[in-house]
Amino acid sequence: YPKKAQDNKKEANVFVTFTVNTDGTISDETLKEDPGHGLGEEALRVIRLSSGKWEPATENGNVIKAQKTQPFAFRLNK
């Protein structure tokens, strides 16, 4: 959890859209909306760490590139 978001008691849902390539790597990572306070940057950082670990999509038995949106729910412990 980004320190700036903790200090400002910021919670938000963040959505990262990206492409899962045929080899399981990712590309074209973008935020649908950045709520600020470092939350968007943290979501992008985590998605980028996952590159190479995604199972590619298939269509008619063929491996294809596909777009995905991954939600992140940033919530502070109360």
Side-chain angles (χ1 to χ4, degrees):
Y1 214 99
K3 177 144 177 47
K4 185 175 180 181
Q6 287 177 344
D7 292 345
N8 290 288
K9 297 181 176 26
K10 181 71 173 174
E11 297 180 330
N13 293 322
V14 178
F15 298 89
V16 179
T17 300
F18 55 96
T19 300
V20 178
N21 300 303
T22 57
D23 62 357
T25 60
I26 62 169
S27 59
D28 307 319
E29 313 88 26
T30 58
L31 292 173
K32 286 199 152 202
E33 183 178 326
D34 190 350
H37 300 280
L39 296 174
E41 292 88 358
E42 180 63 9
L44 283 171
R45 184 187 74 80
V46 170
I47 285 296
R48 288 177 177 139
L49 285 174
S50 73
S51 188
K53 299 176 183 172
W54 290 89
E55 184 174 331
T58 58
E59 183 176 77
N60 298 323
N62 298 313
V63 177
I64 60 168
K65 288 180 17 174
Q67 191 174 51
K68 170 141 179 73
T69 299
Q70 182 66 44
F72 288 83
F74 287 96
R75 300 291 179 264
L76 293 166
N77 291 330
K78 306 234 175 184

